[in-house]
Amino acid sequence: VSMQLREHISISYQSIKSQLLRTSLTALIIAIGITALVGILTAIDAIKASLNSSFSSMGSNSFTIRNSGGGVHFGGGKRKFKRKKAIEYHQAMQFKERYAFPAVISVSAFASQISTLKYESVKTNPNIFIVGGDENYITVSGLTIERGRNFSNTDLLLGDNVIILGSEVANTLFKRINPVDKIISVGSVRYRVIGVLKEKGSSFGMS
């Protein structure tokens, strides 16, 4: 067996030696192929991780429950569009309290998209989007507090007039001043600024 093994090795060596160029090219092609495959798989994993991270920051692992009223509807033939009833506050709070699965639940409402904010003599354009949210709204929406703090349970229980500003609005109203603890007006109502959101860019015209 030992002699046969030596002969096989010797024959293989002579064959490789006589066709050294072909052998080298074959080995090189195999090495390049494996390297390219590993590189592609690594790049795919990196892109997937980046996309998951990006979409998670926008709330991709969450869902929103709302009535289906409003909006523009096309087609439908003769079928008459039926406006759904609004979800009432107590219904939303009951859902939040009764939802037994591991999750972060937030109750929020769109208040206005044509508001003007004012600090002393400085005003924003009358196109500011106002959302009323609870202590979990920042987390569920994939937002980050850059300065100040989030809403607290005490704020909610006492009904305090407190507000968290987007970075663009904060820069418009305060320039080089720290907005936290300053009093601003939203329409005719005064609010104390408790936080400023980290800049996130804009989508659908809303920053």
Side-chain angles (χ1 to χ4, degrees), residues 37-55:
L37 180 61
V38 171
I40 291 170
L41 293 176
T42 303
I44 289 172
D45 287 339
I47 293 170
K48 187 188 295 183
S50 176
L51 287 173
N52 286 337
S53 175
S54 298
F55 282 115

Side-chain angles (χ1 to χ4, degrees), residues 78-94:
K78 297 180 180 179
R79 189 174 65 181
K80 189 176 180 181
F81 171 68
K82 184 179 179 181
R83 184 174 293 276
K84 305 295 190 299
K85 291 182 179 179
I87 299 172
E88 296 181 5
Y89 176 74
H90 76 276
Q91 294 173 324
M93 293 307 295
Q94 283 180 357

Side-chain angles (χ1 to χ4, degrees), residues 141-191:
S141 301
L143 302 170
T144 305
I145 299 286
E146 186 173 47
R147 282 181 284 179
R149 64 174 178 86
N150 190 11
F151 300 120
S152 68
N153 286 319
T154 304
D155 296 327
L156 301 174
L157 290 172
L158 298 179
D160 289 340
N161 281 8
V162 291
I163 192 168
I164 297 172
L165 301 178
S167 61
E168 187 175 337
V169 172
N171 291 335
T172 299
L173 290 177
F174 294 96
K175 304 297 181 184
R176 300 178 183 84
I177 306 171
N178 184 0
V180 177
D181 282 331
K182 300 294 188 298
I183 302 298
I184 69 169
S185 297
V186 181
S188 59
V189 183
R190 290 161 64 84
Y191 289 85

Side-chain angles (χ1 to χ4, degrees), residues 27-39:
L28 183 61
I29 291 168
I30 293 172
I32 291 172
I34 293 173
T35 303
L37 180 61
V38 171

Side-chain angles (χ1 to χ4, degrees), residues 62-65 89 92-93 95-97 99 103-109 131-141 150-151 156:
S62 65
F63 63 89
T64 302
I65 300 174
Y89 176 74
M93 293 307 295
F95 176 83
K96 182 177 179 179
E97 292 164 5
Y99 196 82
V104 178
I105 311 295
S106 172
V107 174
S108 62
V131 178
D134 60 12
E135 76 282 7
N136 293 328
Y137 178 77
I138 299 296
T139 301
V140 170
S141 301
N150 190 11
F151 300 120
L156 301 174

